[in-house]
Amino acid sequence: MQVASGFVMLRGRTEDDQPPKRVDARTERWREHRRKVREEFVDAAFRALDKFGPAVSMGDIAKEAGAAKPKLYRHFEDKTDLYNAIVDRVRDLLWEQVMTSFDLTGDSAGDLVRRAASEYVLVVSRQPNVFRFMLHSHFTQRSDDADRALQSARQSARRAAELFAGVVDDESVRVENVQLVIYSIFGAVASATDWWLGVNRLEPPAMTAEQFADYLSETIFALVAASARLHGIAIAADRPLHLAFSTL
């Protein structure tokens, strides 16, 4: 081995020129198997939540999956790991459900908000115990669990803000400002959903799904409009998103 021009030379070849390491096929197969089994356990968790409600246990979930509880713990570090996987599934489900309902170039700003609220409420209505579980889960007990959920919300807000700013393509609309209002919307919607569902409410909700969607759309648009006004921007609810913003 010799040192030349600041690089470590190995038989005439620099470390940067080394061929890529061969991927172990067995490792890849195990990784794919582990991913598949984890997904199957999350599927079982959704079914168990539908049966047993937000007080579901790890044993309930393992039984629903047709597996022994030790196998569940072989694929999830603890309850929090499974909780996070459920949250990730719901996040991806909501993103797909809401975004596929949009025409970002043709729909008016008001229509986009109303459709987002309606699609969100539709998902909540289909899986109420999943949302009760996420809001009041006994699976999250460590102090860093809230930090993990907070980070996930921030990432989702950033993703939505970048998409929104890209569609608008207006220098007056900054990603950071959009991220803040989306983050605020997440908090308001989560609190309202908690009220609408209740923790273990037996009686019908105080609002119908349609009324709740209307309430959310009004709340969301009010937050967006207020944030825009603070930055000297007006929003025309009846115009397409890329034409809806103007300077006050």
Side-chain angles (χ1 to χ4, degrees):
M1 181 174 73
Q2 61 180 355
V3 178
S5 302
F7 293 95
V8 177
M9 306 296 293
L10 299 174
R11 296 182 181 179
R13 177 184 290 168
T14 69
E15 288 182 336
D16 291 340
D17 292 335
Q18 294 299 309
K21 293 182 180 180
R22 180 180 299 174
V23 176
D24 188 332
R26 288 176 298 181
T27 300
E28 286 299 310
R29 284 197 298 271
W30 167 247
R31 183 179 292 114
E32 177 59 24
H33 171 72
R34 175 178 168 78
R35 184 200 64 77
K36 182 179 179 182
V37 173
R38 281 175 63 93
E39 289 295 313
E40 290 172 350
F41 272 122
V42 174
D43 291 340
F46 271 62
R47 296 194 301 271
L49 280 163
D50 188 48
K51 288 183 179 180
F52 303 108
V56 69
S57 68
M58 293 289 273
D60 293 330
I61 294 170
K63 184 177 180 180
E64 184 64 32
K69 191 155 65 171
K71 181 178 180 180
L72 177 57
Y73 279 106
R74 281 201 300 272
H75 291 276
F76 293 90
E77 295 179 6
D78 51 24
K79 291 181 179 180
T80 302
D81 190 18
L82 178 55
Y83 171 85
N84 289 337
I86 293 170
V87 171
D88 289 345
R89 170 74 68 84
V90 172
R91 178 199 62 204
D92 294 342
L93 176 64
L94 283 171
W95 183 267
E96 180 179 3
Q97 181 83 18
V98 172
M99 294 310 299
T100 55
S101 71
F102 283 169
D103 177 359
L104 289 173
T105 58
D107 290 340
S108 71
D111 284 342
L112 289 172
V113 171
R114 284 187 289 271
R115 190 164 293 117
S118 295
E119 294 297 329
Y120 169 79
V121 173
L122 180 62
V123 174
V124 174
S125 299
R126 289 172 176 170
Q127 301 283 352
N129 282 335
V130 173
F131 282 82
R132 291 186 179 106
F133 173 80
M134 290 194 302
L135 290 166
H136 299 281
S137 178
H138 58 288
F139 278 30
T140 54
Q141 298 175 346
R142 301 196 310 257
S143 60
D144 60 342
D145 294 342
D147 292 338
R148 198 275 187 187
L150 191 63
Q151 182 63 26
S152 178
R154 284 174 178 163
Q155 290 172 351
S156 296
R158 182 76 184 184
R159 182 183 181 187
E162 289 174 346
L163 176 64
F164 176 85
V167 171
V168 175
D169 194 23
D170 187 324
E171 292 183 358
S172 64
V173 179
R174 298 179 57 194
V175 171
E176 291 76 12
N177 295 337
V178 177
Q179 186 177 7
L180 172 59
V181 72
I182 291 175
Y183 199 56
S184 300
I185 289 168
F186 285 174
V189 169
S191 297
T193 301
D194 183 28
W195 174 86
W196 188 56
L197 291 177
V199 180
N200 284 295
R201 182 180 290 166
L202 298 178
E203 66 272 15
M207 283 185 177
T208 66
E210 292 76 13
Q211 290 171 332
F212 186 56
D214 288 342
Y215 171 82
L216 290 183
S217 64
E218 291 290 338
T219 300
I220 291 168
F221 200 87
L223 284 169
V224 173
S227 177
R229 283 196 304 273
L230 287 173
H231 296 92
I233 300 171
I235 305 176
D238 59 345
R239 304 192 71 187
L241 194 60
H242 63 287
L243 300 174
F245 296 85
S246 59
T247 303
L248 290 172

